[in-house]
Amino acid sequence: MGMSLLFGVVASSALIVGALIGVRFELPKRLLAILLSFAAGALITALSFELFEDAYQRGGIVRAALGLLVGAVVFTALSALLDRWAQPGSQDIPADEFRGSAKLDTNAAAAEKAPGAVSTRGAAGMALLAAVTLDGVPENIALGVSLGEGTGGLALLAAIFVSNLPEALVGASSMRSQGRSGGAIMGLWTVCAVLLVAAVVLGAGPLSGSDPETISLPLAFAAGAVIASLADTLMPEAYEHGGPAVALSTAAGFVLSFVLSLA
């Protein structure tokens, strides 16, 4: 249980660090894109080898495939609702701000550009916070399950950490653009971090001793949520603004996460 708590704190600490950077600093747009694409590469490894493969081995291909599809559908539907929430008065927002997910307004964290209307007039930061929580709960439960059964989890830990950091950074920057105080922003992301630590402990405790077929469902659901978040949120923004460097950073994230999965 102590190890699961440690892993949970490490994974969720990226939310605190990212939010702190987002409140205090602005970064080059290309650096933000590289961070997002690196996270995407790491998550590809995690969903393939730590989530879906494990779900398949525990529950078979039918259960794993259905769980993945359900996770993808749930995340996609809720993400679409959050995007609508992030952009009220969408008829007044320029069309070029609708590329990718409205939640992930990297302009809010970039030094070169002013925050988009989805941050200054919408609720992009809060929508991204909700999306991180939605995506993070099944991921962290899966991390706890792998720790509770002694099957590793380093690759998933790394993937969660590197994806949490840029998302919290952009989310906090969007909240700052909307006029929220630094203390309020840090408080919101801290609450999210605590919730995700609790999800790891839950996975390592009560759920780790459950029947393998039962465990396969949350693992597959997490894989579906991750792959949907990659296509919906991380990759579109990274590949729009990062240039050729994002291909290399995606590959680097994949390799690092794969190496850790062998440990």
Side-chain angles (χ1 to χ4, degrees):
M1 190 60 68
M3 183 62 69
S4 67
L5 184 60
L6 175 62
F7 269 53
V9 169
V10 170
S12 298
S13 67
L15 296 174
I16 309 299
V17 174
L20 185 61
I21 295 172
V23 167
R24 295 182 176 274
F25 302 102
E26 293 180 338
L27 301 178
K29 187 85 169 179
R30 180 158 295 183
L31 176 58
L32 291 169
I34 288 173
L35 289 173
L36 290 169
S37 58
F38 185 89
L43 284 169
I44 289 171
T45 299
L47 76 90
S48 300
F49 300 107
E50 296 266 345
L51 295 175
F52 189 73
E53 183 179 37
D54 202 8
Y56 161 68
Q57 291 175 347
R58 293 168 186 267
I61 188 60
V62 173
R63 187 180 295 266
L66 287 176
L68 183 143
L69 290 173
V70 170
V73 167
V74 170
F75 181 89
T76 301
L78 293 179
S79 180
L81 292 175
L82 291 171
D83 278 340
R84 290 187 180 183
W85 178 35
Q87 51 188 27
S90 57
Q91 66 274 10
D92 300 324
I93 298 177
D96 61 359
E97 290 191 22
F98 286 104
R99 297 171 185 169
S101 172
K103 301 184 296 294
L104 195 64
D105 179 24
T106 52
N107 286 344
E112 303 94 335
K113 296 187 177 182
V118 293
S119 287
T120 56
R121 304 208 308 268
M126 290 299 296
L128 187 55
L129 175 66
V132 169
T133 306
L134 167 68
D135 188 28
V137 168
E139 285 176 1
N140 282 269
I141 287 176
L143 176 61
V145 168
S146 66
L147 292 171
E149 300 189 347
T151 57
L154 279 177
L156 185 54
L157 172 65
I160 292 172
F161 185 93
V162 298
S163 62
N164 281 345
L165 181 64
E167 289 183 324
L169 194 163
V170 173
S173 297
S174 293
M175 292 176 180
R176 179 193 63 199
S177 300
Q178 206 176 14
R180 292 181 182 270
S181 69
I185 295 170
M186 293 304 301
L188 287 168
W189 286 96
T190 299
V191 170
C192 177
V194 171
L195 177 62
L196 297 188
V197 170
V200 177
V201 175
L202 175 64
L207 292 181
S208 64
S210 301
D211 181 79
E213 291 188 349
T214 302
I215 292 297
S216 72
L217 291 175
L219 292 173
F221 184 94
V226 169
I227 200 169
S229 70
L230 286 172
D232 172 79
T233 306
L234 293 180
M235 286 182 170
E237 190 69 31
Y239 290 93
E240 181 183 354
H241 299 290
V246 300
L248 298 177
S249 60
T250 302
F254 178 88
V255 170
L256 174 62
S257 187
F258 184 80
V259 169
L260 291 174
S261 73
L262 301 177

